Amino acid sequence: MAEFKSPKTEAEFEQNFAQIKPLMTPNQAYFESSRCLFCYDAPCVNACPTGIDIPLFIKQIHSKNTLGAAQTIYNSNVFGYACGKVCPTEVLCEGACVYNHQDVPPIEIGRLQTFATEKAISSNKKLFELAPANGKKVAVIGAGPAGISCACELRVAGFEVEIFEAKAKPSGLTVYGVAPYKITNEEALNEMEYLQNQFGFTIHYNKPIVDDKDIEALESGFDAIFLGIGLGSTSGLGIQGEDKEGVHGAVEMVEILRMNHHNFSMPKKVIVLGGGNTAMDAASESSRMGAEEVILAYRRGKDEMGAYEFEYDLAKGVGVKGLFNVAPLEIIGNGKVEGVRFVRTRVVNGKVENIEGSEFIETTDWVVKATGQSKQSHFLSLISGLKTDSKGCIVVDPVSFQTTNPKYFAAGDSVSGGQEVVNAVANGKKAARAISKI
Ligand SMILES: Cc1cc2nc3c(=O)[nH]c(=O)nc-3n(C[C@H](O)[C@H](O)[C@H](O)COP(=O)(O)OP(=O)(O)OC[C@H]3O[C@@H](n4cnc5c(N)ncnc54)[C@H](O)[C@@H]3O)c2cc1C
Ligand code: SF4
């Protein structure tokens, strides 16, 4: 029997996807903030890619200056609320907290961060003064964490900013990709509305930049262009049967789930292929959507998975079963997927080898490929002089984030190849600071 029943209503969806880092009450925040040691040269700050002054905002929460705490957070990171919920704090700020050395649970920095920023968002508190208009205009392609962060910083410096976004909603993968038990759509979008009110950038939705004509228009109409386009669709496996009905890319599946919630039908058995964080999310989400059996199949051993340990624990906690040292050879079925033909593998000198004669078939109703995202190579090839590296990532100056075409700057997943929301926010801001000098 499935641990979760397929949700039929929004309330059932919310129950299955209960927030793993729920909002603190004022009392919880007060007591949790009292535990902070306000360390000198605090390791938690050094571990945060956006360098939030964590001991300062915790002290502000403790002295009941919650909006002051929100100001401290937003000064460094405009996705302060989202990051408090979706950041892998276990390996960043909370992982670095000195309490870990004493076998005492670290301070719940992420939850304190969302506690403070929620107060600013719900009261629409104005925290930023914008410099007078400097007469310069920047086009931002993509309203994800990198693009929005860049836009906010540019607005503070007096630039006019227009964002061109392919989809209907802002925040990129924060609303279209991150697991719904980390942040709800409403929470992600509330923070975006708050930022738009604060910073006054313009977003053109459902406006993908697709061809030479679009690019020419931006190049002639704007002083600089920022690329915050993220990555593309799920990469193919290159095996037979990938085109069968019931074979899905993980990123595409999560997007449908996030946008349709309970209007999404889950089959009984699902095989997720991959060992990264996206694979863990897709497996956990399949289980929470009511799949009776979810198998996570990875071609190396359990300890070699790229996923954070706590993400695997989350998946195991909702009944996902691991199948390790197996590689898919073919997806079988008559039009519709019926199973996966696997071969067992071993790792020799770091390389995966198939074990001859060890093939077997695992039946399934669905296959979810969590095999990484492709790069937006075609789009990037339209921009003259723009270089990408051997993996298809945009080449930038590591300090200014300027690309090899001096009119363009870039940050986020399209440069890094795929990191976290907080890295995209940090680097989008650095790019904006460099653009401010043009
Ligand atoms: C399934 C999944 C789960 C994840 N979970 C987490 C998590 O729990 N915590 C975490 O911190 N990180 C997580 N990440 C990673 C994180 O979401 C990304 O690192 C982050 O969103 C990258 O930000 P970005 O702005 O570079 O790109 P994106 O968030 O991808 O945003 C890019 C935006 O650009 C738009 N766009 C693209 N091309 C064009 C175009 N030609 N014209 C106009 N618009 C365009 C897209 O529609 C999109 O809105 C996850 C990623 C995935 C795939
Ligand atoms: S490391 Fe922990 S105790 Fe020290 S300042 Fe940071 S949150 Fe507070």
Side-chain angles (χ1 to χ4, degrees):
M1 262 307 276
E3 190 170 339
F4 293 90
K5 279 213 299 220
S6 282
K8 300 271 180 287
T9 62
E10 194 60 26
E12 285 175 4
F13 179 86
E14 277 173 23
Q15 209 176 7
N16 286 15
F17 286 87
Q19 296 299 293
I20 55 173
K21 289 186 185 167
L23 266 182
M24 282 179 167
T25 63
N27 273 349
Q28 285 173 325
Y30 182 75
F31 286 110
E32 186 63 11
S33 59
S34 74
R35 295 178 55 226
C36 181
L37 303 170
F38 309 114
C39 308
Y40 174 73
D41 197 16
C44 54
V45 179
N46 296 330
C48 172
T50 56
I52 297 174
D53 191 338
I54 293 165
L56 174 61
F57 91 69
I58 294 181
K59 193 165 221 155
Q60 288 167 315
I61 290 176
H62 194 61
S63 54
K64 303 272 165 91
N65 179 9
T66 314
L67 290 172
Q71 174 92 65
T72 303
I73 295 159
Y74 278 128
N75 282 347
S76 296
N77 179 342
V78 289
F79 272 57
Y81 184 92
C83 281
K85 297 207 85 182
V86 313
C87 261
T89 52
E90 294 82 347
V91 295
L92 294 175
C93 54
E94 292 174 17
C97 178
V98 292
Y99 275 121
N100 292 295
H101 301 300
Q102 295 154 15
D103 278 340
V104 173
I107 306 286
E108 289 195 73
I109 301 168
R111 289 183 70 202
L112 286 169
Q113 189 167 306
T114 44
F115 172 79
T117 44
E118 191 278 333
K119 295 285 174 288
I121 295 169
S122 58
S123 62
N124 199 21
K125 174 75 184 166
K126 187 156 173 33
L127 295 177
F128 290 90
E129 287 303 325
L130 309 184
N134 64 11
K136 289 189 176 161
K137 279 173 77 174
V138 178
V140 170
I141 309 181
I148 297 275
S149 170
C150 180
C152 293
E153 191 68 14
L154 287 169
R155 289 292 296 140
V156 170
F159 286 80
E160 193 179 320
V161 180
E162 284 186 48
I163 306 181
F164 298 86
E165 168 54 51
K167 297 200 161 135
K169 293 182 170 67
S171 83
L173 287 169
T174 318
V175 77
Y176 287 106
V178 172
Y181 44 79
K182 292 188 184 164
I183 190 165
T184 66
N185 292 4
E186 194 187 2
E187 288 174 316
L189 297 176
N190 280 350
E191 186 167 51
M192 293 305 105
E193 194 184 336
Y194 174 65
L195 295 180
Q196 209 171 352
N197 288 339
Q198 290 274 310
F199 295 96
F201 44 78
T202 306
I203 309 188
H204 305 283
Y205 292 111
N206 303 309
K207 184 77 190 81
I209 302 300
V210 285
D211 55 22
D212 294 332
K213 246 176 62 196
D214 288 343
I215 287 174
E216 271 166 40
L218 296 189
E219 287 180 357
S220 60
F222 293 86
D223 297 287
I225 300 167
F226 175 79
L227 299 168
I229 57 171
L231 298 170
S233 49
T234 300
S235 307
L237 286 164
I239 59 172
Q240 271 198 350
E242 272 189 78
D243 53 348
K244 292 196 191 303
E245 193 191 326
V247 180
H248 304 273
V251 181
E252 293 73 19
M253 175 200 125
V254 176
E255 178 172 338
I256 298 173
L257 164 66
R258 287 223 57 148
M259 292 303 120
N260 290 300
H261 284 186
H262 51 281
N263 300 318
F264 180 94
S265 74
M266 204 70 216
K268 281 192 178 160
K269 183 168 173 185
V270 178
I271 294 179
V272 178
L273 302 172
N277 291 320
T278 299
M280 304 304 129
D281 281 358
S284 272
E285 290 166 41
S286 300
S287 185
R288 286 169 197 264
M289 285 304 287
E292 285 178 16
E293 192 178 354
V294 182
I295 295 177
L296 184 77
Y298 182 51
R299 61 199 187 104
R300 289 172 177 266
K302 182 162 64 178
D303 298 338
E304 291 176 278
M305 287 198 297
Y308 297 125
E309 207 177 321
F310 68 86
E311 296 279 13
Y312 180 49
D313 288 344
L314 268 176
K316 276 193 305 188
V318 291
V320 172
K321 291 191 200 109
L323 178 62
F324 298 103
N325 294 108
V326 293
L329 295 176
E330 183 188 359
I331 295 170
I332 55 172
N334 186 11
K336 190 179 170 317
V337 59
E338 287 167 19
V340 179
R341 190 159 61 85
F342 283 107
V343 62
R344 296 199 188 276
T345 64
R346 63 181 156 231
V347 179
V348 179
N349 295 329
K351 285 202 173 136
V352 177
E353 277 182 6
N354 295 349
I355 301 174
E356 221 177 289
S358 66
E359 293 179 17
F360 67 98
I361 288 172
E362 184 71 42
T363 60
T364 190
D365 306 306
W366 257 28
V367 172
V368 180
K369 298 180 288 179
T371 41
Q373 288 173 267
S374 59
K375 311 292 181 318
Q376 302 222 43
S377 309
H378 170 70
F379 172 71
L380 295 174
S381 73
L382 301 175
I383 301 169
S384 85
L386 188 112
K387 277 200 188 138
T388 53
D389 65 14
S390 58
K391 291 181 175 154
C393 299
I394 304 171
V395 173
V396 295
D397 176 278
V399 177
S400 68
F401 290 83
Q402 189 167 31
T403 71
T404 47
N405 176 329
K407 186 142 191 154
Y408 288 83
F409 293 72
D413 281 1
S414 60
V415 172
S416 66
Q419 277 183 305
E420 312 290 344
V421 169
V422 69
N423 304 98
V425 172
N427 295 338
K429 181 172 180 167
K430 286 182 194 153
R433 292 208 165 151
I435 296 172
S436 302
K437 294 187 187 134
I438 59 173

